[in-house]
Each structure stands twice: as structure tokens, then as C-alpha cells.
Amino acid sequence: MTSIVGGAVETPIAPSDLSASTQIVASAASSALLPLDAAGHIVALDPGAQAHALADPSIAGGGDATFSSKTMLGILGQLDPARVSGYVAAHEEAVSTLITAPPVATSVTAYWSGMNSDQQKALIDGAPRLIGNLDGVPFQARSRANRLQLTRAISDTRARLAGHAGKGVKLQLRHTLDTLLRVKEALKAPAGSPERSLVILDVGTNTRAAIAVGDVSTARYVSYLVPGMYFSVDQQLDDWVSTAENLYTEQRQWLRRSFGCRACAGTPGVAAVAWIGYQTPELLNVGGLALAQEGADYLEHGLEGLRALRAGDEPYVTVIAHSYGSTAALMALQRGSVSVDALALVGSPGSAAQSVHGLDVAGGNVYVGQAGFDPVVHTAFFGSDPGASAYGAIAFGVEGAKDPFGGAALAGSTGHNGYFTAGSESLRNLALIGIGQGGLVTPATGSATQLAAGR
């Protein structure tokens, strides 16, 4: 039997594979959404329209139709496990559409919870790219899917390199392989370090990835680190994961101090997400906001997914954003669709938000760090300056100081890229902000503010 789904002629599906196939055909044929020729026969759509029909709720018709029997997620939930991978391979454009413009995260969480373990395993095995990047799917399942996708992509790329591809193709394949191997290396946690999970892996011309240090599904405190210009998976993922681990370690130390040594085993958990979840700009395109918009979209979806998964046990969520990444984060938090408990901005060129009151951040917990000789701060290149006194953000110290708790010397940060140095005043303050202890941050000094402003 040939099944007609979402307005497109699909590959044959045996009744044993899709028990409702007859009903799907009948339902689809009766829908006014499908194009008909003069004889009343259904006309197959081009691949782009087909992907749109399979992925877009409005095409499927009303309500939360992303999960109806005519859309990709609805079909995948009914397919025989042996057919999942083939169906996904035939609809890669629809997969991309679902990742870029995902369904409501709470609906995805309910969809996943409604399947049994065998169905879930079939989707992880047969559709790892989709499951690994679909916000609302549990993080453990996403990591398993992305690790599987990583292994398969490495094997496939090596096989293609061994074939008869042209010189240009082989150069691209080598770059792809190098990127994948860097992801694999970044997933290796040193002995005694917390677990690492691959919560995003979307391989392409500009690969996106995110690695979580610590267990995002149970942590009491979760921090997302959003990078700016020149941060790409193929070049900076290792360093960004190391930064996340340094933040994680600092936060754990502070929590253990708070709870006392005897309570170490019961110390609230933390997780830090090294998030390179969008294409960061380079010199030639850093002046525009298109990539910041993309970053804002992906970050918004990710935060919604976390909230959906942790409903009833929501963690304290902090976004720590640097440079152009701060503009993306500000854009996401201006929309009113998702909120965080704290926001820390370093080296920020600003956004359209006029003050902290225009951001969906609980209690106005917006913090800003500005290092001396950082050429970006106070430029307000993309709008209002978060470091301006009228903005209302809390300025924290980054210039170096003596830790008031214990007296240790804290290193200073200078320039645009020194905010995340281990042992620095800046990282100490960012760690405190991420565990809801913003009241303990060391304040910025007047001299540091003047240096940041170039005076």
C-alpha cells in the first residue's frame, strides 16, 4: 500500500508497519489542505513543501497537529522499528525543519513519555539526529542519540574519504571528520571529573554542539555558557567545555562551603552547559544581527526544553553570555516567552533592551562584567549598553582582588577574552551568580569601569 502523508506520496508502508495507514490515506485525502489535480487525484509536493507539511503544525491543520498521524513525529511514533531509519533518511529536510522550528517543548516531553521503552529505543537508533536535538526529549536520551550519531558520522565520513571523491569534496570531508573527532575528544572527562553528556550535535557546514558537565536532569543549579565571535565547534569546543568544568568546580566548592564538609554528599548538584548552539559570527558578518537572532531562537528552545523536562522540580537557571553571545541571550530574554533566574553578561555590545526591566529575568538578577582594555564594552553597538548605570544591571569585579572569604588572591581579567580564566575574580563571581549567591560577588571598582570605558 502507498501512504499519502502531509500532502506527499510516501514510500510504501505495509499494514504491519503502520496499522493506521488506511485511515491516514483516507484522512489525508479528505483534507482540503492537499492539492488535487483536475481528476481529483492527490498531487505530490516538491521536497520543500513536503518537509513543511510533515513538520509544520499549521499545514497539518489545527491544534497541536505536529503529533498527528499526518506529520513526521506522529508517523515515527507508529512505524515498525525496522522502518524508522529509512523513513527519516527519506525526509531529512523535514528533520531539519523540526530541529530549527521545534514543537512546543511540553508537548515533546509528553510525546516521549507516552511511548514505551522499545519505541523510545527505536527512535534513538533510527532517528538519532532528530531525537538528539529535539528540545523536550530527556537529556539522557538526547546524549545517547547524539553519541550514536557521532559514531556513525565518523564512520561514514571516513568511508567517504576512502572513496573516489574529488579534491574539494575531500577537503570538506576532512574538515567534517576533524570537527567530529574534536567533539569526541571533548566528551572525554578526565579521571575524577563529572560526567559529560552530548546534548546537541547537529552536523553540517556550521556544526552546532553542546556538552553538559554534570547532570542537567537532576542538578539544582544549571548554567548555560553562550559564546560570541569566532567560537566554533571545530576550534573552541574543547576550551569551552574546560571553561564549563572550571565553572562547575568553582560552584561545587562554594556549595560545599555553604553546606559544610559533613553535608558534601548531599550538596545540591550543579551542571554547566558548554553551549555552541548557533553559528557564531566572524569578522565579515559580526556587524549584523541575523546570527544573533538564530542564537536567540535556539537558546529560547533549549531553555523551554529544560523547563518542560524539569516541571515540578525546576532548577535555578543562569545564562552566562559573552560578547556577541550576550546580544543573542538578551534578544531571547526580551521576548517574554522564556525566563531565567539570573543573567550574567561579559564583554557585551548590548541589544535593543533599554534596561533590566525589559528582560525576563527573575528579580532583576542581571549582572555585567567589564574588563579593562576590552574594546567591545560601552560601545552599545547593538543597542543599549548593559554597563551603563541607567540600565540597572549589577556591575561585578573582574580586575583582580583578594577573596573576602579566605583571603586568596584572585587574578584580574583584561581585554575581551579574559573573563573565564580559572582562579580569576571574574570566574569566581560568575560561579556565585550561577548558584543564586549574587549577593556575594565582589563589586566593580571605579578604576575598572574607567578602563573599560577607555578613560
Side-chain angles (χ1 to χ4, degrees):
M1 173 181 291
T2 298
S3 173
I4 311 294
V5 287
V9 178
E10 301 299 330
T11 54
I13 300 177
S16 60
D17 297 328
L18 184 56
S19 59
S21 57
T22 302
Q23 289 87 337
I24 292 174
V25 174
S27 174
S30 64
S31 172
L33 297 169
L34 301 182
L36 304 177
D37 61 19
H41 299 124
I42 297 170
V43 178
L45 301 180
D46 63 71
Q50 177 178 337
H52 192 47
L54 287 168
D56 188 343
S58 65
I59 297 297
D64 198 0
T66 308
F67 304 93
S68 78
S69 59
K70 292 181 285 186
T71 57
M72 171 163 278
L73 288 174
I75 293 166
L76 289 176
Q78 301 175 67
L79 281 176
D80 181 273
R83 294 191 63 96
V84 170
S85 61
Y87 188 85
V88 169
H91 297 91
E92 280 297 327
E93 192 171 349
V95 170
S96 296
T97 301
L98 281 169
I99 292 171
T100 303
V104 176
T106 51
S107 296
V108 174
T109 300
Y111 166 80
W112 186 262
S113 300
M115 291 186 289
N116 61 42
S117 59
D118 289 340
Q119 291 172 312
Q120 292 172 353
K121 182 178 184 302
L123 290 187
I124 290 172
D125 292 343
R129 180 187 171 216
L130 176 59
I131 299 306
N133 296 287
L134 191 58
D135 294 302
V137 172
F139 291 104
Q140 302 96 320
R142 288 178 65 169
S143 187
R144 288 198 300 272
N146 284 326
R147 284 177 180 270
L148 178 59
Q149 182 192 181
L150 177 63
T151 299
R152 290 177 179 174
I154 290 173
S155 177
D156 178 65
T157 304
R158 282 175 168 159
R160 293 179 65 191
L161 272 170
H164 300 288
K167 184 178 179 180
V169 173
K170 286 203 170 185
L171 283 173
Q172 182 59 50
L173 288 172
R174 288 192 185 97
H175 177 262
T176 298
L177 181 59
D178 287 344
T179 301
L180 294 169
L181 292 175
R182 285 179 181 271
V183 175
K184 182 178 180 180
E185 190 64 27
L187 278 168
K188 296 178 181 177
S193 295
E195 65 177 298
R196 295 181 179 183
S197 54
L198 186 57
V199 296
I200 296 174
L201 180 64
D202 196 10
V203 181
T205 304
N206 297 290
T207 297
R208 301 185 308 118
I211 292 178
V213 177
D215 189 352
V216 186
S217 63
T218 61
R220 176 68 186 86
Y221 302 97
V222 178
S223 300
Y224 278 77
L225 287 88
V226 182
M229 182 176 174
Y230 285 129
F231 263 73
S232 59
V233 174
D234 61 333
Q235 296 295 323
Q236 278 81 31
L237 184 60
D238 282 340
D239 290 341
W240 206 226
V241 175
S242 294
T243 295
E245 182 150 347
N246 289 337
L247 183 75
Y248 172 98
T249 300
E250 185 85 11
Q251 290 176 332
R252 290 288 290 172
Q253 289 173 349
W254 277 100
L255 287 169
R256 283 171 175 161
R257 289 182 194 178
S258 300
F259 282 82
C261 189
R262 291 184 179 180
C264 288
T267 302
V270 298
V273 183
W275 191 87
I276 309 183
Y278 76 115
Q279 180 189 345
T280 61
E282 298 178 352
L283 186 61
L284 295 179
N285 58 7
V286 72
L289 286 172
L291 295 179
Q293 182 71 53
E294 174 189 302
D297 291 344
Y298 280 124
L299 181 61
E300 178 184 4
H301 299 326
L303 293 171
E304 288 174 342
L306 174 63
R307 294 297 192 191
L309 289 165
R310 298 290 302 273
D313 180 33
E314 291 199 14
Y316 188 94
V317 180
T318 301
V319 170
I320 299 172
H322 176 237
S323 189
Y324 190 88
S326 72
T327 300
L330 286 165
M331 291 172 69
L333 294 170
Q334 286 170 237
R335 299 172 175 175
S337 56
V338 65
S339 66
V340 296
D341 298 288
L343 172 66
L345 309 169
V346 288
S348 177
S351 77
Q354 298 298 304
S355 73
V356 298
H357 301 296
L359 304 171
D360 207 345
V361 181
N365 293 324
V366 180
Y367 299 82
V368 61
Q370 299 173 319
F373 305 106
D374 183 341
V376 174
V377 301
H378 289 306
T379 61
F381 190 85
F382 292 117
S384 296
D385 173 18
S389 58
Y391 197 88
I394 301 166
F396 62 88
V398 301
E399 62 273 16
K402 179 180 286 188
D403 190 339
F405 300 92
L410 298 169
S413 304
T414 58
H416 189 55
N417 295 312
Y419 296 100
F420 300 101
T421 303
S424 66
E425 181 185 15
S426 176
L427 187 69
R428 168 205 184 274
N429 285 333
L430 291 172
L432 287 168
I433 292 166
I435 56 173
Q437 297 297 322
L440 298 180
V441 301
T442 52
T445 65
S447 60
T449 301
Q450 290 172 8
L451 280 172
R455 295 194 292 269

